[in-house]
Amino acid sequence: MVDINRSKKELLKRKMDDLGVFEKDLEEKFIRSGGKGGQNVNKTSTCVYLKHKPSGLEVKCQRERSQVLNRFLARRILVNKIETLILGKLSEEKKKIEKIRRQKRKRSKRAKDKMLEEKAKRGQKKKERSYRPELEDE
């Protein structure tokens, strides 16, 4: 039996209260999972479907083999989605997405030229370091 840390449960509960997400507003269904997990997954309904009625947001979680753990994870995902909806740009998810976008952005012409210049210098250094016996005879 998988049990979730009490402090994690309390943290999630506090976050739900702060955002105004109540258990009565959640529609919860259990679906039989598929994929990895063997007989446990095939016989028990470990996949959790959550719908937040006021916002209409839906979450489906079948990450783990345990229904208890999937219920917790589904609530956490749903709360993060609601937080993103309410707080917008300030939320953690938005920050992560923006960080990835900045990392993938193309370099400016100047930055690219500088990087290529450094690469050429490094290549030249390596070339000068290499041993070439044909030069010793001269």
Side-chain angles (χ1 to χ4, degrees):
M1 173 89 185
V2 177
D3 195 33
I4 297 136
N5 191 341
R6 184 179 298 157
S7 63
K8 286 185 180 182
K9 279 183 181 178
E10 288 171 4
L11 189 69
L12 179 65
K13 183 73 177 138
R14 203 173 312 123
K15 201 170 186 180
M16 285 174 74
D17 291 342
D18 291 344
L19 293 171
V21 178
F22 306 106
E23 287 292 328
K24 65 179 181 177
D25 294 337
L26 299 179
E27 181 184 321
E28 188 173 43
K29 293 180 188 173
F30 302 104
I31 309 160
R32 195 160 293 157
S33 299
K36 296 176 186 171
Q39 189 175 7
N40 178 66
V41 163
N42 297 330
K43 289 177 83 174
T44 59
S45 299
T46 54
C47 181
V48 177
Y49 167 85
L50 272 182
K51 182 176 181 177
H52 185 242
K53 293 174 191 172
S55 67
L57 287 174
E58 299 175 350
V59 168
K60 191 174 172 185
C61 183
Q62 63 176 38
R63 200 179 301 169
E64 301 295 329
R65 288 179 58 182
S66 160
Q67 188 184 73
V68 174
L69 199 52
N70 282 332
R71 287 183 76 200
F72 173 77
L73 292 172
R75 278 172 173 69
R76 200 162 69 180
I77 293 166
L78 185 69
V79 166
N80 287 339
K81 280 188 171 190
I82 291 170
E83 183 183 38
T84 302
L85 193 68
I86 293 170
L87 299 178
K89 201 162 180 79
L90 299 175
S91 79
E92 291 299 313
E93 195 64 30
K94 286 274 189 185
K95 285 180 185 176
K96 287 179 190 173
I97 292 168
E98 284 300 316
K99 183 179 180 184
I100 291 169
R101 185 174 289 136
R102 282 194 305 272
Q103 288 172 344
K104 288 184 176 181
R105 190 170 51 202
K106 283 188 177 180
R107 286 192 171 103
S108 68
K109 177 83 172 128
R110 185 175 173 196
K112 190 175 179 183
D113 289 342
K114 188 176 178 182
M115 185 264 305
L116 289 174
E117 189 179 303
E118 288 296 319
K119 239 179 167 178
K121 282 182 187 176
R122 205 173 307 120
Q124 187 62 36
K125 256 188 203 175
K126 282 188 165 192
K127 195 181 275 185
E128 289 170 1
R129 253 189 251 144
S130 66
Y131 174 71
R132 294 185 294 196
E134 67 272 3
L135 293 177
E136 283 186 0
D137 296 336
E138 294 175 356

